[in-house]
């Protein structure tokens, strides 16, 4: 998860970014307001980027070759009796040829009207987002890990009773469950403790190698919040944590799932859809010249969750600021596929087709 962050260069990267931003602010031809305007817009799109860096990104030539292969009719053993399928040549002039997750970088690379300093600011925001995304993806693990080891270290110190009591008070305040919400410290601590104890670590000395300690480090090395919860948030733990699912119905808050034999998996799966980058809608660039008007067409990967229209309006407004032409978002509103359109008149909704 953190392999791409290059921690040895992090401080230098942030210093370099700060110096470049400061130089643009102090430039009389640019100034603070213009810099802030671009940065605000860029930050609104900073998490619309590639989510799995392990998947190799194809270059333009490889994408064209794949498009040509996909356009070929599939083998048909009954081709002598079936009507011949016509070959439909793909439009290789389309940009992007395949949906592009890196919305911010796409705008940087394909809007010819951006000034060099604006392109540089988009690069800065993208690079800093790449540093923070792994932390977003491991928040529950990280907070739980810190709390677990803090607890173990303080217990191993054999503190005087008054100091130990003070520590326990602060520790329990940090881990206190949040009514109607989720405390990542509490959830993470409970799961790490369960992993350690389930590998025979209960009552052991964590300063010495053991199966329990090895299990902790193995999980930390290979998981992120979603896989961590999927693997280790069991029915037993969900009941122990008192987790349930609720929703608003007719202006009332009602409990929709409890941790029984059928409901615990639904609670876990709902949680998986709200942690890390799973809470951020997946938006991709589909076309940079939609309907021949240089409008930017974006696509929302609808997974049953509709967009918050207030946030969508603001984000599309920022996208319009950076693209400079109308922006359309292919999405679903109230169960109906449609386009959200943002132009110089603001946000509007348009039917598809």
């Amino acid at each position: 998860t953190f392999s791409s962050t290059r921690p040895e260069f992090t401080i230098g990267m942030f210093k370099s970014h700060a110096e470049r931003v400061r130089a643009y602010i102090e430039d009389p031809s640019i100034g603070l307001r213009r810099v802030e305007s671009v940065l605000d817009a860029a930050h609104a799109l900073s998490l619309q980027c590639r989510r799995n860096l392990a998947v190799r990104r194809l270059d333009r030539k490889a994408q064209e070759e794949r498009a040509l292969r996909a356009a070929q009719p599939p083998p048909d053993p009954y081709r002598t009796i079936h009507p011949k399928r016509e070959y439909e040549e793909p439009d290789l002039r389309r940009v992007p040829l395949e949906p592009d997750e890196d919305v911010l970088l796409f705008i940087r690379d394909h809007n010819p009207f951006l000034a060099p300093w604006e392109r540089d600011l988009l690069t800065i925001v993208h690079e800093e987002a790449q540093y923070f995304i792994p932390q977003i993806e491991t928040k529950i693990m990280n907070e739980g890990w810190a709390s677990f080891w803090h607890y173990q270290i303080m217990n191993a110190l054999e503190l005087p009773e008054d100091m130990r009591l003070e520590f326990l008070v602060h520790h329990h305040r940090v881990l206190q469950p949040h009514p109607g919400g989720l405390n990542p410290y509490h959830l993470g601590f409970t799961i790490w403790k369960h992993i350690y104890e389930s590998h025979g670590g209960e009552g052991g000395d964590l300063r010495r190698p053991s199966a329990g300690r090895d299990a902790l480090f193995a999980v930390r090395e290979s998981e992120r919040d979603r896989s961590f919860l999927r693997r280790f948030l069991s029915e037993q733990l969900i009941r122990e944590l008192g987790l349930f699912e609720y929703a608003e119905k007719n202006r009332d808050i009602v409990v929709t799932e409890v941790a029984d034999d059928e409901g615990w998996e639904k609670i876990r799966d709902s949680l998986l859809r709200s942690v890390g980058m799973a809470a951020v809608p997946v938006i991709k660039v589909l076309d940079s010249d939609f309907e021949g008007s240089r409008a930017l067409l974006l696509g929302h990967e609808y997974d049953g969750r509709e967009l918050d229209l207030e946030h969508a309006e603001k984000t599309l407004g920022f996208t319009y600021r950076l693209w400079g032409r109308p922006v359309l978002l292919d999405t679903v509103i109230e169960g109906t596929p449609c386009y959200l359109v943002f132009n110089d008149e603001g946000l509007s909704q348009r039917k598809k087709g």
Side-chain angles (χ1 to χ4, degrees), residues 95-96 106 110 285-290 293-297 323:
V95 178
F106 183 89
H110 293 88
V285 180
L286 303 182
D287 194 351
S288 61
D289 189 25
F290 185 59
S293 62
R294 216 177 72 79
L296 184 68
L297 176 62
W323 185 247

Side-chain angles (χ1 to χ4, degrees), residues 44-270:
L45 300 175
S46 61
L47 298 184
Q48 299 301 333
C49 56
R50 292 176 62 201
R51 303 193 177 208
N52 189 350
L53 298 180
V55 177
R56 185 172 68 90
R57 184 172 185 170
L58 299 181
D59 59 22
R60 180 75 184 186
K61 182 178 179 181
Q63 289 183 14
E64 290 177 354
E65 292 173 352
R66 182 155 68 180
L68 290 171
R69 288 195 303 270
Q72 296 290 341
D76 184 0
Y78 304 103
R79 59 184 177 277
T80 56
I81 59 175
H82 285 169
K84 183 179 179 181
R85 286 188 55 181
E86 296 295 331
Y87 170 70
E88 296 182 6
E89 185 173 354
D91 182 6
L92 299 182
R93 298 171 300 173
R94 184 187 181 101
V95 178
L97 198 56
E98 297 181 353
D100 195 333
E101 293 177 283
D102 280 320
V103 178
L104 196 61
L105 293 189
F106 183 89
I107 293 174
R108 180 198 67 182
D109 296 338
H110 293 88
N111 182 359
F113 301 105
L114 288 176
W117 66 270
E118 292 176 304
R119 297 183 195 279
D120 190 34
L121 289 180
L122 300 193
T123 302
I124 287 172
V125 171
H126 172 76
E127 289 177 351
E128 295 193 358
Q130 295 304 296
Y131 171 79
F132 286 110
I133 284 174
Q135 299 180 50
I136 295 172
E137 290 277 65
T138 55
K139 181 177 179 61
I140 292 171
M141 292 179 65
N142 286 341
E143 309 296 18
W145 180 267
S147 301
F148 176 82
W149 284 101
H150 187 206
Y151 180 78
Q152 300 298 331
I153 291 170
M154 296 301 286
N155 277 340
L157 290 176
E158 299 180 355
L159 297 171
E161 193 62 28
D162 58 336
M163 294 182 67
R164 174 175 167 75
L165 182 60
E166 182 180 356
F167 157 69
L168 289 174
V169 169
H170 289 292
H171 176 74
H172 287 296
R173 284 177 180 170
V174 170
L175 297 189
Q176 184 177 6
H178 296 165
L182 198 66
N183 182 348
Y185 293 88
H186 181 222
L187 178 58
F189 175 86
T190 302
I191 296 177
W192 284 120
K193 182 172 177 286
H194 170 75
I195 293 171
Y196 179 63
E197 293 177 352
S198 65
H199 286 80
E202 186 173 8
D205 187 348
L206 276 163
R207 291 171 294 183
R208 296 186 175 88
S210 66
R213 196 177 80 162
D214 290 346
L216 293 176
F217 281 89
V219 170
R220 189 195 68 167
E221 180 73 21
S222 60
E223 307 294 345
R224 61 184 65 194
D225 280 351
R226 293 192 73 196
S227 58
F228 181 67
L229 296 177
R230 186 182 292 110
R231 285 187 62 188
F232 301 109
L233 187 58
S234 62
E235 179 180 0
Q236 172 192 341
L237 284 181
I238 287 179
R239 288 178 176 171
E240 180 182 325
L241 290 162
L243 299 182
F244 59 90
E245 186 177 352
Y246 64 91
E248 183 177 346
K249 291 186 178 180
N250 300 323
R251 297 187 178 181
D252 293 324
I253 302 297
V254 298
V255 175
T256 55
E257 296 293 345
V258 296
D260 55 19
D261 292 341
E262 297 179 355
W264 76 270
E265 288 185 314
K266 295 179 181 178
I267 295 171
R268 182 200 61 192
D269 292 345
S270 292

